[in-house]
Amino acid sequence: MIKSDHPIRIAIVDDHALFREGVREILEAQEDLVVVGEAGTSFTALELVSQKRPDVLLLDVEIPGDAVTHTVSRARVISPATQIIILSMYDGPHLLRQLLSAGIRGYLLKTVHRYELVAAIRSVHYEPDRLILVVSPESLAQMETARTEVLTTKEREVLELVAQAFSNRQIASRLNTTEATVKRHLRNIFVKLGAASRIDAVNRAIDASLITPTR
C-alpha cells in the first residue's frame, strides 16, 4: 500500500447530524485523514462533491432525495477520482449488487468498529481496484448466486485480456473503447463472479469455464 504525504480528504453524507459529528471525530483523530465537508441530502451531497472533490465519499444509503444508486452514478461523473464507501444499516444483496455495479468501492454496515472504517478508507484510497465489504453472512451467501450469471461477450473479451496481463488502457485500445467502459465491465464482472480482484476474477472465470486459460 503506497502512502502519501498529503492527508486523505473525506466528505461525510448522512441525514443525521449526530452521526456525522461522531464519524468526523473518529476520522480527524487520525493524522492522515481530514474531513472537508458534510451533507445531509443527495442534492447537497452532489454539490459537496463538485466543490470539494474529496478523495473518499462516505455515503449513507437512505439520505433524502434521489435514490442512492443515482447519487453514486452522478457523483462518479462529477468526480471520477472520488472513491465511494456506503455506510448503512441495511445490506440486502440486490441493492448491494446495484451499488457495486454503479461503482462503489466499499459497503460497510454502521455496526463496524472505528478501526474498520479507518482501514476501509485507507484501502480504497491507496488501492482503488480493491473492494471492501463488511456485511452480514446472509447477504454474502446470497451474493454468491451472482456468480452463476453468464458474462456478456464483451465482458468475456475484457476478462480474457485481463488474463493476458493487459492494463485497462491497453484493453480499451484493443477493443476500441474507453478506459471508463473497461472499468465498468470489470465492476460488472466482479459482481457476477463474486470476485475481489482482477486475478480472482480470472481464476473464477477459468474455473467456471467462462474463459480459456492463457498459455
Side-chain angles (χ1 to χ4, degrees):
M1 183 181 295
I2 300 174
K3 296 295 183 69
S4 170
D5 293 332
H6 303 289
I8 302 173
R9 303 170 66 255
I10 305 158
I12 305 170
V13 179
D14 193 287
D15 59 333
H16 293 94
L18 189 60
F19 178 80
R20 295 198 307 267
E21 290 173 8
V23 172
R24 177 188 280 271
E25 288 182 7
I26 290 171
L27 300 184
E28 295 197 331
Q30 307 296 316
E31 292 184 356
D32 61 330
L33 307 180
V34 60
V35 176
V36 296
E38 301 177 17
T41 70
S42 64
F43 309 113
T44 54
L46 295 178
E47 290 177 358
L48 177 59
V49 170
S50 178
Q51 293 171 4
K52 299 296 186 178
R53 308 292 171 124
D55 298 313
V56 177
L57 173 67
L58 299 180
L59 179 64
D60 178 33
V61 78
E62 295 182 325
I63 54 173
D66 289 331
V68 65
T69 49
H70 176 77
T71 304
V72 169
S73 297
R74 289 293 305 141
R76 286 187 48 74
V77 170
I78 294 170
S79 181
T82 297
Q83 307 299 332
I84 302 174
I85 296 177
I86 296 293
L87 295 176
S88 177
M89 294 299 296
Y90 171 79
D91 68 336
H94 178 66
L95 177 60
L96 183 52
R97 286 196 293 267
Q98 287 184 321
L99 288 166
L100 287 170
S101 295
I104 67 167
R105 307 314 306 154
Y107 195 109
L108 309 181
L109 291 178
K110 288 185 176 179
T111 53
V112 296
H113 295 287
R114 64 179 63 199
Y115 68 83
E116 292 177 297
L117 173 60
V118 170
I121 290 170
R122 290 172 178 152
S123 292
V124 300
H125 178 66
Y126 293 116
E127 302 176 79
D129 288 333
R130 187 175 184 182
L131 290 172
I132 306 296
L133 301 179
V134 180
V135 296
S136 68
E138 293 78 14
S139 186
L140 284 177
Q142 293 179 60
M143 281 288 289
E144 286 295 307
T145 60
R147 294 176 57 186
T148 62
E149 296 182 32
V150 179
L151 300 181
T152 66
T153 299
K154 190 62 67 176
E155 287 166 354
R156 286 198 300 272
E157 290 177 353
V158 168
L159 198 52
E160 285 170 352
L161 292 173
V162 169
Q164 297 174 50
F166 284 97
S167 67
N168 288 352
R169 179 175 296 180
Q170 291 170 322
I171 294 171
S173 177
R174 289 220 168 196
L175 298 182
N176 194 28
T177 187
T178 65
E179 283 190 67
T181 298
V182 171
K183 290 179 180 178
R184 186 174 69 250
H185 285 314
L186 284 172
R187 287 196 298 271
N188 291 337
I189 290 168
F190 285 2
V191 172
K192 289 183 177 182
L193 300 183
S197 67
R198 295 164 76 95
I199 294 175
D200 188 27
V202 169
N203 290 336
R204 288 173 184 261
I206 290 173
D207 290 342
S209 300
L210 297 176
I211 64 172
T212 303
T214 55
R215 296 185 181 277

